[in-house]
Amino acid sequence: MKAVKDTIPHVTVTSAYEKKGELKIFIFGSLLLNTIDEVMAKVKSQTENQNVQGVIIDLGGIEALDSAGAMMLLKLQREMADRSISLSLLNLTKECQNIISLLDETAFLVSTKKKDESVSVFSRIGKASLEVLRDAYLLMNFLGTILISFFKCIARPGSIRWRDVMHYIEKSGVEGLPIVGLISFLVGLIIAFMSSLQLKLIGGNIFVASLVGIAMVKELAPLMTAIIVAGRSGSAFAAEIGTMAVNEELDALSTMGFDPVEFLAVPRIMAALIAVPLLCLYADLFGLTGGLVVGVLGLDLTVGSYVDQTAASISIGDIATGVVKSVVFAGLIAGIGCHRGLQVKRGAEGVGAATTSAVVSAIFLIVLADSIFAVVLNYL
Amino acid sequence: MSNQGCFTGRDPNTNNGRKVLISVDHMTAELEGNIILEDISFKVFKGEILVIVGRSGSGKSVLLKHMIGLYRPAEGQVLIDGIDIHNAYGKQMKRIREKMGVLFQSSGLLGSMTLGENMELPLADYRYISDEAKNMIIRMKLGMVHLAGYENLLPAELSGGMKKRAGLARAMILDPDILFFDEPSAGLDPVTSVEIDDMIRSINKAMGTTMVIVSHELQSIFNIAHRIVMLDRKSRGIIAEGDPRELKEGSADRRVVNFLNRQSD
């Protein structure tokens, strides 16, 4: 006896007192998922009378019953029992009995397993603070592990997976050339344009070249490159390693005697340490070109005078500063990406969270490191 | 059945009077240019448990994915209750979807949702049903698979067997006419496997639900199958169809006998 889903289900509930205090309810039609609310409400309203001590539900008129309908009958039975009203089912066919036999009556009695959900704001702040501290501890721990792995690899260069290093140089560096070039060009162009609006007023057009040169080489090229690499490669590292963790590939590596950090993190970090400084120099070039375009087309400067002014304003030391910053940023991006990937514990959601966290943490650490550079270089 | 030389333990056409619920009709399955199954035909009758068997790589899961409409056949068609599943759209497709539930090999539970939310997904179209009724249905269906009370947990917090059972509860929340299973016992301990087999049998018996199961677990096959369809990689098709117990003893095809008797070729 099952629902005929192509027809519109109908149900009728009537009742009559058999004898004093005993109500007999007749259900006709379909007792299905679509009709249980209606039946439940009608039965409850008919049993509200305080004189009712017993209820008999006659199911002889039932044409279709599904498991939802059967569940409703069991639930009614339980609710009536709570109100000290006896409920019995009459004319229950074999098919109905079969469906009811599938159900577990005790399911309603089992308490719901709930997760520990602290709603207090203070509790949340406390937990979040402890989480930050724990995260910082784990990050330092990972940094230590990475350094040890690096020293091991330097001691045994043959153990470095050079093919992987080349692969990730291509992924992080070569494939990032178009976007890094375009963004740097536009940043150079914007700085030149915005600064020219002010410098034009005091006749200092030529100083646009100095401003763009210093800003790009010392600050913006390493910073913009790092942010782009964090978005492209840091997230990719976290997602790749995280997916491997979910698929038990990391466990497999460990059981085969490989250190996952040495096997997976070292080639990626090494690749980033090589690729990002080169990308930074490339970004310098495109940023300066952006400034040059504004200088020549908007400020009537010649290419020669712009290039001369740029060369006079920036030194090899400035370029080296940018490159050194890039090396540090690269280590942070790749390190945090691998670290977050290795931390993944739970399925697809864990991979997503690790990827987001890798990008956000990397950008935060890049800005933090850049601030430290600004202060330290000021005193050097 | 179009493949020549196949052994038929019990001719499906002799089941006169039984309603054909699924009809795979001269279907060819192709993946990335490779033909996996070629010109296969068979029927599934209402209320029966049909198990699709075969060695690894014979195309069992591919066939199942064609039957549930995830893959489109290169040729031929799959009819569910007379409707071509690959050419059904809108309300017709919705009606087919309501008729079937699927338990995937990895259970297919959405990891970002709790069990309760996973269970509620098929009820999304039943907006007029009260939350109380929905919660009752979810609780009872989880109770049927011995997971009552686990509504608020995430799939990642469950064991493999529990995930499988939760997937089964979700698949049958709307009391579908047909339940498809992809390797229901894969990766489970023997006790949990038997529990799943028992559930399959009792649901089939109580509700009359038609079951199509992909499996290569022999014990499970003999426990639950009314009929089997056996696929073979080299033949790219069906090499046997019928009662597994009859085929085990009476098939003239060594591949069938070896498989069902757990013997090497």
Side-chain angles (χ1 to χ4, degrees):
Chain A
M1 184 176 291
K2 272 199 66 185
V4 184
K5 287 170 184 165
D6 296 341
T7 59
I8 299 164
H10 65 278
V11 69
T12 315
V13 180
T14 59
S15 65
Y17 279 95
E18 281 281 286
K19 48 188 175 184
K20 198 182 174 193
E22 191 174 278
L23 185 68
K24 193 167 185 181
I25 295 175
F26 301 88
I27 302 178
F28 301 94
S30 306
L31 192 48
L32 305 173
L33 176 63
N34 319 37
T35 56
I36 55 171
D37 275 329
E38 188 184 343
V39 175
M40 191 95 160
K42 283 181 179 168
V43 171
K44 277 183 181 172
S45 72
Q46 285 170 12
T47 56
E48 266 171 5
N49 189 326
Q50 290 186 344
N51 296 327
V52 175
Q53 289 157 4
V55 175
I56 299 167
I57 296 184
D58 189 332
L59 298 166
I62 291 284
E63 292 162 8
L65 177 83
D66 65 4
S67 62
M71 287 170 206
M72 191 218 71
L73 292 173
L74 290 182
K75 190 153 194 268
L76 268 180
Q77 217 159 20
R78 184 152 298 284
E79 285 182 5
M80 293 296 162
D82 291 343
R83 290 165 57 193
S84 305
I85 299 172
S86 66
L87 188 146
S88 49
L89 304 174
L90 202 67
N91 293 326
L92 206 58
T93 60
K94 183 87 172 61
E95 289 96 330
C96 290
Q97 280 175 5
N98 281 340
I99 295 173
I100 290 174
S101 70
L102 270 181
L103 309 179
D104 177 13
E105 272 185 86
T106 57
F108 291 116
L109 304 174
V110 181
S111 58
T112 308
K113 290 173 176 55
K114 280 187 178 166
K115 283 186 269 179
D116 178 27
E117 286 173 357
S118 312
V119 287
S120 156
V121 176
F122 296 110
S123 173
R124 282 187 191 181
I125 292 170
K127 276 188 178 173
S129 308
L130 287 174
E131 197 58 38
V132 169
L133 287 176
R134 191 174 158 274
D135 198 40
Y137 166 76
L138 290 174
L139 195 60
M140 294 306 289
N141 202 347
F142 181 71
L143 186 68
T145 314
I146 282 286
L147 284 175
I148 291 168
S149 298
F150 254 99
F151 287 132
K152 275 189 198 168
C153 290
I154 289 164
R156 292 178 287 118
S159 68
I160 298 173
R161 299 169 56 79
W162 290 109
R163 210 163 62 175
D164 283 0
V165 175
M166 296 308 292
H167 172 75
Y168 288 111
I169 286 177
E170 188 185 337
K171 285 273 168 197
S172 315
V174 181
E175 290 180 10
L177 286 174
I179 188 69
V180 170
L182 180 66
I183 298 275
S184 304
F185 177 80
L186 291 174
V187 168
L189 196 124
I190 292 163
I191 293 173
F193 180 71
M194 297 306 289
S195 58
S196 71
L197 295 177
Q198 298 302 315
L199 291 172
K200 234 185 332 193
L201 299 175
I202 55 167
N205 287 357
I206 192 66
F207 295 114
V208 168
S210 307
L211 201 151
V212 171
I214 294 167
M216 283 308 297
V217 169
K218 287 185 80 173
E219 199 60 48
L220 289 173
L223 199 64
M224 294 309 295
T225 306
I227 289 172
I228 294 165
V229 174
R232 286 187 74 254
S233 307
S235 57
F237 293 166
E240 281 169 13
I241 299 176
T243 308
M244 291 176 81
V246 171
N247 293 337
E248 295 179 324
E249 291 171 48
L250 301 188
D251 296 343
L253 280 176
S254 300
T255 52
M256 287 187 286
F258 295 103
D259 175 9
V261 172
E262 207 174 308
F263 195 92
L264 300 170
V266 169
R268 285 171 172 81
I269 294 173
M270 204 171 263
L273 291 175
I274 296 167
V276 177
L278 293 174
L279 273 180
C280 176
L281 291 172
Y282 172 79
D284 286 346
L285 198 67
F286 272 78
L288 296 178
T289 309
L292 178 73
V293 169
V294 173
V296 173
L297 299 180
L299 303 173
D300 296 330
L301 297 173
T302 62
V303 173
S305 63
Y306 190 95
V307 171
D308 286 345
Q309 183 65 26
T310 303
S313 307
I314 55 175
S315 63
I316 294 292
D318 294 332
I319 297 171
T321 303
V323 171
V324 170
K325 278 185 179 181
S326 291
V327 173
V328 174
F329 295 163
L332 290 172
I333 296 163
I336 203 89
C338 296
H339 178 54
R340 292 290 183 239
L342 290 165
Q343 280 181 319
V344 169
K345 292 275 181 259
R346 275 189 204 159
E349 199 186 359
V351 176
T355 310
T356 308
S357 176
V359 177
V360 174
S361 308
I363 291 175
F364 168 71
L365 288 175
I366 287 165
V367 174
L368 185 71
D370 199 36
S371 314
I372 295 169
F373 268 117
V375 175
V376 171
L377 291 175
N378 189 42
Y379 290 103
L380 281 181
Chain B
M1 204 162 45
S2 58
N3 294 67
Q4 288 196 338
C6 73
F7 176 86
T8 307
R10 190 169 60 194
D11 184 357
N13 295 322
T14 59
N15 292 281
N16 284 333
R18 291 178 71 189
K19 189 186 174 194
V20 174
L21 209 54
I22 305 170
S23 178
V24 177
D25 198 11
H26 297 288
M27 194 197 82
T28 296
E30 197 178 301
L31 285 184
E32 294 168 1
N34 299 317
I35 293 176
I36 312 293
L37 297 166
E38 195 170 8
D39 193 24
I40 61 163
S41 299
F42 65 94
K43 292 178 180 12
V44 184
F45 298 97
K46 189 173 165 56
E48 80 169 334
I49 302 179
L50 178 95
V51 183
I52 300 167
V53 303
R55 296 179 61 174
S56 299
S58 57
K60 302 185 294 292
S61 294
V62 171
L63 173 58
L64 190 87
K65 285 182 176 164
H66 279 82
M67 290 174 81
I68 59 178
L70 290 180
Y71 293 170
R72 182 172 276 275
E75 279 173 43
Q77 57 182 358
V78 176
L79 304 174
I80 306 275
D81 210 5
I83 302 168
D84 182 354
I85 190 170
H86 299 99
N87 288 309
Y89 301 96
K91 281 184 181 168
Q92 208 176 32
M93 191 64 199
K94 200 176 154 200
R95 211 151 59 205
I96 295 179
R97 292 271 174 236
E98 278 181 357
K99 279 182 198 293
M100 55 194 244
V102 185
L103 172 61
F104 291 95
Q105 197 170 347
S106 56
S107 84
L109 296 168
L110 303 189
S112 57
M113 292 181 174
T114 61
L115 281 200
E117 288 163 345
N118 264 289
M119 299 282 294
E120 214 178 323
L121 285 174
L123 295 170
D125 282 338
Y126 291 77
R127 289 193 190 90
Y128 48 87
I129 298 174
S130 67
D131 286 345
E132 187 195 355
K134 279 184 183 173
N135 291 337
M136 178 186 80
I137 294 159
I138 290 168
R139 171 56 70 105
M140 287 302 272
K141 289 287 180 183
L142 284 173
M144 281 168 71
V145 295
H146 313 304
L147 286 174
Y150 285 75
E151 292 93 322
N152 290 340
L153 297 193
L154 290 167
E157 293 169 299
L158 305 177
S159 70
M162 288 161 99
K163 276 186 206 165
K164 213 85 161 192
R165 283 187 274 142
L168 176 58
R170 188 182 67 179
M172 60 184 193
I173 193 141
L174 290 174
D175 289 347
D177 294 333
I178 313 161
L179 271 172
F180 293 93
F181 299 80
D182 193 0
E183 304 275 8
S185 315
L188 301 180
D189 66 85
V191 177
T192 313
S193 293
V194 171
E195 278 175 9
I196 298 262
D197 287 352
D198 290 346
M199 268 177 219
I200 289 171
R201 270 192 313 202
S202 55
I203 293 164
N204 170 262
K205 193 179 164 204
M207 314 277 294
T209 311
T210 307
M211 312 274 192
V212 178
I213 301 164
V214 163
S215 179
H216 51 210
E217 306 270 336
L218 282 178
Q219 207 175 348
S220 178
I221 293 166
F222 288 116
N223 267 345
I224 57 176
H226 295 150
R227 209 154 58 85
I228 64 167
V229 163
M230 186 165 177
L231 304 178
D232 181 67
R233 185 163 60 178
K234 280 187 188 157
S235 309
R236 296 196 290 204
I238 299 169
I239 55 167
E241 187 178 344
D243 186 318
R245 289 151 286 267
E246 290 176 17
L247 288 170
K248 186 182 176 186
E249 304 301 331
S251 175
D253 191 327
R254 289 306 304 165
R255 293 168 296 179
V256 179
V257 175
N258 286 345
F259 182 89
L260 294 174
N261 286 288
R262 210 165 178 263
Q263 291 167 348
S264 60
D265 289 336

